[in-house]
Amino acid sequence: VKKLVLNKLVRANMWGGKHTPLHFIIRGLPLHFRMTHSGQKIVETSIKELQNKEFLIAQQKRTGKNYEIHISLNPRKVEEIQTFLKQ
């Protein structure tokens, strides 16, 4: 799941100030991760682990009347992200 999320963000070139809503990334994952309770837990824990490793930057952005979590890749961790994806 971590590699799926990182690959999606790298292909979309979401580094630093360029960000996307978190639910767009989750919506792009396979159905067994989105529709089952255990799959949703796996997605949540993997995103938290990526944030703890500082691969992802998560910010709350105002969209209309609501606030949503937007994520982007940390530009300071480019080499580490690329080596993680090659493993």
Side-chain angles (χ1 to χ4, degrees), residues 65-83:
K65 295 182 180 180
N66 299 330
Y67 286 93
E68 293 181 357
I69 296 175
H70 286 226
I71 60 172
S72 64
L73 294 168
N74 191 349
R76 295 182 182 139
K77 301 279 185 169
V78 175
E79 295 172 7
E80 294 177 31
I81 291 172
Q82 289 175 348
T83 55

Side-chain angles (χ1 to χ4, degrees), residues 39-57:
Q40 290 173 353
K41 286 275 194 186
I42 292 169
V43 170
E44 288 176 12
T45 55
S46 62
I47 289 175
K48 285 182 184 178
E49 288 176 10
L50 289 173
Q51 287 178 343
N52 289 340
K53 289 183 181 180
E54 295 180 355
F55 286 177
L56 294 181
I57 300 170

Side-chain angles (χ1 to χ4, degrees), residues 11-54:
R11 280 186 279 130
N13 201 20
M14 296 290 172
W15 296 95
K18 190 173 178 188
H19 50 81
T20 186
L22 180 60
H23 67 86
F24 284 175
I25 300 297
I26 293 172
R27 187 171 59 187
L29 295 175
L31 283 176
H32 63 274
F33 288 121
R34 290 184 285 154
M35 297 300 184
T36 62
H37 181 70
S38 61
Q40 290 173 353
K41 286 275 194 186
I42 292 169
V43 170
E44 288 176 12
T45 55
S46 62
I47 289 175
K48 285 182 184 178
E49 288 176 10
L50 289 173
Q51 287 178 343
N52 289 340
K53 289 183 181 180
E54 295 180 355

